[in-house]
């Protein structure tokens, strides 16, 4: 398997523009997570899905952020309108429930977002 | 008080040194304890995991958990330049919830 795939890898945009980040989880994984990583706040969970259904979106910072998972192989994180403080690396991760309680999360390479 | 505290470093050591990385936590509901390693410009990857107090060894790496003190550590013996990365502690609640709480990460540089 190719692992978790994210696109684009880098995004530079201007304040006020809409940004859409994309993720393809590992085939067979039923959990998908969106994280944001900054130097100041570390790795923060934004939202996660189980079987395409949002389970916990308490980490989504405000209404400008939205996430969808229309099917088991695709998810998007949208920011509209974007602001400079949204600049960060956004990671997607996936996992599956198995016999191990650790449910290892497999991370994609991240999207580095810069909002000017 | 933050749920998880981790010294951000950076930590710089010579090759061959023993490295100690630490996290404290405040939530007694955490039952599973993990360490993820993140190389520069990559996503984190699971390195070690444990659920009980005590030590767990895997090659040059030892994960230690002290539930009474709410303290976990990762020790790296005979550190190598290839160990240079950011190390993040991670915690999971017991039960059905599948989300992880991460520390902010400690940046480690092993000098050849």
């Amino acid at each position: 398997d190719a692992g978790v795939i994210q696109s684009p890898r880098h995004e530079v945009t201007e304040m006020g523009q809409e940004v859409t980040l994309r993720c393809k989880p590992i085939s067979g994984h039923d959990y998908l997570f969106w994280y944001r990583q900054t130097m100041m706040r570390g790795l923060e969970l934004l939202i996660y899905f189980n079987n395409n259904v949002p389970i916990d979106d308490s980490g989504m910072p405000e209404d400008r952020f939205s996430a969808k998972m229309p099917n088991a192989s695709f998810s998007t994180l949208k920011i509209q309108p974007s602001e400079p403080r949204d600049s960060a690396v956004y990671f997607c991760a996936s996992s599956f429930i198995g016999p191990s309680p650790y449910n290892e999360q497999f991370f994609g390479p991240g999207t580095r977002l810069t909002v000017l | 008080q933050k749920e998880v505290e981790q010294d951000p470093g950076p930590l710089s050591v010579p090759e061959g040194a023993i490295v100690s990385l630490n996290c404290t936590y405040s939530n007694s509901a955490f039952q599973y304890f993990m360490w993820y390693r993140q190389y520069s410009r990559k996503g984190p990857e699971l390195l070690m995991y444990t659920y009980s107090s005590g030590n767990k060894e895997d090659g040059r790496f030892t994960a230690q958990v002290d539930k009474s003190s709410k303290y976990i550590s990762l020790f790296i013996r005979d550190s190598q330049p290839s160990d240079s990365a950011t190390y993040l502690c991670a915690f999971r609640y017991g039960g059905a919830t599948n989300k992880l709480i991460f520390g902010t990460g400690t940046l480690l540089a092993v000098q050849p």
Side-chain angles (χ1 to χ4, degrees), chain A residues 9-10 31 33 35 37 40-43 45 48 56 58 91 95 97 101-105 107-109 112, chain B residues 2 32-34 36 38 41-46 49-52 88 92 96-100 102-104:
Chain A
R9 293 293 309 276
H10 303 273
Y31 280 85
F33 305 83
Y35 290 90
Q37 187 174 41
M40 291 297 294
R41 301 174 67 91
L43 194 62
L45 177 65
Y48 77 95
D56 184 346
S58 60
F91 287 102
S95 72
I97 296 295
Y102 300 97
N103 301 331
E104 178 180 359
Q105 294 187 14
F107 283 77
R112 186 171 297 270
Chain B
K2 286 185 179 179
Y32 303 99
F33 309 92
M34 288 148 277
Y36 277 72
Q38 183 177 19
R41 299 190 176 269
K42 303 283 188 184
E45 56 183 359
L46 182 63
Y49 57 87
T50 186
Y51 69 94
S52 58
L88 302 105
R92 187 183 155 229
T97 181
N98 198 24
K99 76 180 195 180
L100 299 179
F102 282 90
T104 51

Side-chain angles (χ1 to χ4, degrees), chain A:
Chain A
D1 200 312
V4 175
I5 299 172
Q6 290 187 249
S7 64
R9 293 293 309 276
H10 303 273
E11 177 81 30
V12 180
T13 190
E14 294 193 343
M15 183 173 63
Q17 296 298 304
E18 178 180 293
V19 174
T20 299
L21 311 181
R22 297 172 176 79
C23 175
K24 176 178 167 55
I26 293 172
S27 176
H29 284 193
D30 53 1
Y31 280 85
L32 184 138
F33 305 83
W34 281 103
Y35 290 90
R36 176 172 68 177
Q37 187 174 41
T38 61
M39 289 291 291
M40 291 297 294
R41 301 174 67 91
L43 194 62
E44 302 174 280
L45 177 65
L46 301 176
I47 184 171
Y48 77 95
F49 296 82
N50 177 218
N51 291 323
N52 313 337
V53 175
I55 302 300
D56 184 346
D57 66 354
S58 60
M60 295 286 262
E62 50 200 273
D63 291 345
R64 297 185 296 107
F65 286 69
S66 62
K68 293 183 180 179
M69 192 165 186
N71 57 62
S73 58
F74 183 66
S75 178
T76 60
L77 178 69
K78 187 174 293 187
I79 308 172
Q80 166 63 19
S82 58
E83 297 183 3
R85 60 191 167 121
D86 302 329
S87 297
V89 181
Y90 291 81
F91 287 102
C92 175
S94 69
S95 72
F96 70 98
I97 296 295
S100 165
Y102 300 97
N103 301 331
E104 178 180 359
Q105 294 187 14
F106 294 82
F107 283 77
T111 295
R112 186 171 297 270
L113 174 65
T114 302
V115 183
L116 302 174

Side-chain angles (χ1 to χ4, degrees), chain B residues 51-101:
Chain B
Y51 69 94
S52 58
S53 284
N55 294 350
K56 179 180 179 181
E57 195 172 310
D58 183 3
R60 298 184 294 108
F61 298 88
T62 299
Q64 183 178 79
V65 175
D66 183 342
K67 288 185 179 181
S68 61
S69 300
K70 297 190 177 65
Y71 188 91
I72 70 170
S73 298
L74 178 70
F75 298 97
I76 307 174
R77 290 186 301 280
D78 187 24
S79 55
Q80 303 294 309
S82 59
D83 296 328
S84 298
T86 296
Y87 291 80
L88 302 105
C89 54
F91 302 81
R92 187 183 155 229
Y93 301 99
T97 181
N98 198 24
K99 76 180 195 180
L100 299 179
I101 309 300

